[in-house]
Amino acid sequence: MAYRCVIVIPAYNPPASFAGYIPELKKAGFQDIIVVNDGSRTDKLPVFYKVERAGALVLTHEENKGIGASLRTAMTYYQEHFSGQTDGIITLNSDRLTSVADVQKMAESLHNEQEMGSYAIVVGSRDFGSHLVTDYDYRMNVLMKLIYHMLMGVRLADPMSGIFGIPDLRVQHCLDVPSERYSYETAMLMSFEKIGFLQVPVHYVSFEKGYEKARRPGDTFGIILTVVRKFILYSITSLMASIVDIIMFGIFTGVTFRGQMFAILYATVCARLISASVNYLLTKHFVFHFKSDKAQQSAKSAGEFMALSAVQCLLSALIVSVLKGVLGGSAVGFKVITDVVLFFLSYKIQHKYIFKDDKKNEGKDEELLKAEQEKAQRLEAVRQKKETEKEMQQHQTQHEG
């Protein structure tokens, strides 16, 4: 059985066993395989020669650019030569050779996504119950699952497998992801948050004998930073809004409402309205990049944001009062703990409900429509090219006759 997908494998100083992996994939029905030599040493060239002889296409970087650049190189080639003709791309690793049976499962799932018109990314989820699992992989898996769930509300069994099935119409979407090196895979995966994930169980595979570590010390930090970046921006915008609140409170109490009986109350309310508005705009545009074409949509999100801010303020006061009354002690300490918890809850509510598209598929439909139009244009160009070549051949035949 021939599978309608393109295998993409970034390779940096791959082990000798990698050369034997290509014939296995070919035999299993994977005819189109792209291997990216990401600036490997010259002593590794025999491996790539064998890979080419086995029928894979080898694209070469003169210097090591990282897995993100390697995937981009392969995807760019895919867009130029395969787009609109296959189910999409399956990414694999050169130092951990996923079993052919698991690759076939990924291909079947990718094909089903195409058939159903879902176009979610297919994620290979390794079995972490295996005795082969390394301590580093286990700890990173636990950490990344926790971060994804807490900050994104997404339950992924294995966010770092590197085994992905990317539907044909989503390849350009992946190329548009702004990230490099190891953090690229994480950024790419996160970009499918509102599109969807299909998780496929695969076996955990150990590193091949003779593999060389390509990940740099800072890559792990970069991966984590990519995931928490949105929350960091959220924290910064909240801090900026707090500064605005303090400044406006000072102006209102010292100038606008100076000498009035309820100056503090008036100043508090007015300063909070202004700071909340600033916070809403910053959070909307710079944290969640929420796009609302309709005024009704913007008004709805703004109203929900203001209501959440009011409820958060009231809850803080209520909880601190109750804790102080029951346990005694400093109200300041209770307030710090309470506000930190509410801060996290507020982020999750904004992320999941307020700044989420009204229709989960709305953004996806627009993106797919554009991708389908581009696909149709490319197919038409190919058709016209073939017709032109056919006419030239017929003309040449007649001329020779």
Side-chain angles (χ1 to χ4, degrees):
M1 176 182 178
Y3 291 95
R4 295 181 63 254
C5 62
V6 176
I7 301 295
V8 168
I9 311 176
Y12 176 64
N13 296 330
S17 57
F18 175 58
Y21 187 51
I22 305 302
E24 291 180 16
L25 290 172
K26 286 278 188 178
K27 186 178 179 181
F30 297 100
Q31 299 306 310
D32 298 308
I33 304 172
I34 300 175
V35 175
V36 181
N37 175 4
D38 188 26
S40 299
R41 295 193 312 271
T42 54
D43 63 297
K44 292 293 181 178
L45 289 179
V47 176
F48 291 103
Y49 293 152
K50 292 178 181 178
V51 164
E52 280 187 311
R53 285 200 297 269
L57 171 70
V58 176
L59 304 177
T60 303
H61 290 167
E62 294 303 320
E63 59 184 24
N64 179 249
K65 297 181 179 180
I67 193 168
S70 297
L71 290 174
R72 286 182 188 280
T73 295
M75 289 179 191
T76 300
Y77 186 91
Y78 174 92
Q79 287 293 80
E80 294 171 353
H81 297 87
F82 293 100
S83 182
Q85 305 170 51
T86 76
D87 291 330
I89 289 172
I90 293 178
T91 66
L92 301 174
N93 304 302
S94 64
D95 50 8
R96 290 183 169 188
L97 307 181
T98 304
S99 72
V100 170
D102 284 339
V103 180
Q104 290 173 322
K105 283 168 58 178
M106 292 289 294
E108 289 164 4
S109 298
L110 182 62
H111 178 70
N112 291 338
E113 285 298 295
Q114 286 283 98
E115 290 293 301
M116 294 186 296
S118 173
Y119 307 110
I121 188 170
V122 182
V123 183
S125 300
R126 296 168 294 178
D127 175 19
F128 278 85
S130 169
H131 68 281
L132 300 173
V133 178
T134 64
D135 290 340
Y136 174 83
D137 281 343
Y138 182 80
R139 289 194 297 266
M140 281 299 293
N141 180 254
V142 171
L143 176 62
M144 295 302 288
K145 284 198 302 183
L146 180 63
I147 294 175
Y148 267 82
H149 179 56
M150 287 184 63
L151 299 185
M152 295 173 59
V154 175
R155 292 183 180 274
L156 286 176
D158 185 10
M160 297 185 65
S161 69
I163 306 168
F164 303 116
I166 305 169
D168 176 65
L169 290 180
R170 295 297 185 196
V171 175
Q172 186 58 50
H173 167 90
C174 293
L175 277 169
D176 293 338
V177 173
S179 186
E180 295 294 338
R181 299 202 68 82
Y182 272 93
S183 60
Y184 174 78
E185 288 184 316
T186 302
M188 181 184 74
L189 193 59
M190 290 176 63
S191 72
F192 279 84
E193 176 192 356
K194 292 183 179 180
I195 299 171
F197 307 94
L198 175 63
Q199 302 185 68
V200 175
V202 298
H203 294 89
Y204 180 92
V205 181
S206 300
F207 284 108
E208 290 294 301
K209 183 179 179 180
Y211 95 97
E212 297 182 27
K213 188 176 181 180
R215 186 176 294 168
R216 298 178 180 178
D219 287 333
T220 299
F221 176 75
I223 291 169
I224 297 173
L225 184 62
T226 299
V227 181
V228 301
R229 177 177 175 274
K230 187 177 289 188
F231 183 75
I232 292 173
L233 287 174
Y234 171 75
S235 302
I236 292 173
T237 58
S238 298
L239 177 61
M240 292 173 67
S242 298
I243 293 172
V244 170
D245 187 74
I246 293 171
I247 292 173
M248 296 310 299
F249 179 79
I251 292 173
F252 285 133
T253 53
V255 181
T256 310
F257 302 117
R258 185 176 182 179
Q260 296 187 26
M261 182 179 296
F262 299 106
I264 293 179
L265 176 61
Y266 295 153
T268 300
V269 173
C270 292
R272 184 56 56 88
L273 285 172
I274 293 173
S275 65
S277 299
V278 170
N279 197 10
Y280 166 74
L281 292 172
L282 291 174
T283 303
K284 174 184 176 182
H285 294 292
F286 297 106
V287 179
F288 296 109
H289 303 287
F290 182 71
K291 297 179 180 179
S292 50
D293 298 328
K294 300 176 182 178
Q296 183 180 0
Q297 221 177 352
S298 293
K300 180 175 179 289
S301 63
E304 291 172 344
F305 185 89
M306 295 299 180
L308 176 63
S309 298
V311 170
Q312 188 176 350
C313 188
L314 290 172
L315 275 177
S316 177
L318 178 62
I319 294 172
V320 171
S321 298
V322 170
L323 289 175
K324 181 172 174 56
V326 174
L327 302 176
S330 171
V332 175
F334 291 132
K335 181 169 177 57
V336 170
I337 296 172
T338 301
D339 284 355
V340 167
V341 174
L342 291 175
F343 184 74
F344 275 93
L345 289 175
S346 177
Y347 173 83
K348 293 200 69 172
I349 291 171
Q350 290 178 46
H351 180 267
K352 191 171 184 179
Y353 300 107
I354 296 178
F355 295 111
K356 185 175 183 179
D357 295 335
D358 282 348
K359 296 179 181 179
K360 183 178 180 181
N361 294 324
E362 187 171 311
K364 178 173 74 173
D365 291 341
E366 292 177 1
E367 183 179 284
L368 285 180
L369 179 61
K370 181 181 177 181
E372 286 173 350
Q373 289 173 343
E374 292 175 351
K375 173 182 173 181
Q377 291 172 356
R378 285 193 296 269
L379 291 176
E380 179 63 20
V382 170
R383 186 186 66 79
Q384 290 180 356
K385 182 179 179 181
K386 288 181 178 179
E387 287 184 356
T388 302
E389 291 175 350
K390 185 177 180 182
E391 289 175 359
M392 290 179 65
Q393 288 176 353
Q394 290 175 347
H395 180 73
Q396 186 177 1
T397 303
Q398 292 173 357
H399 181 71
E400 290 175 352

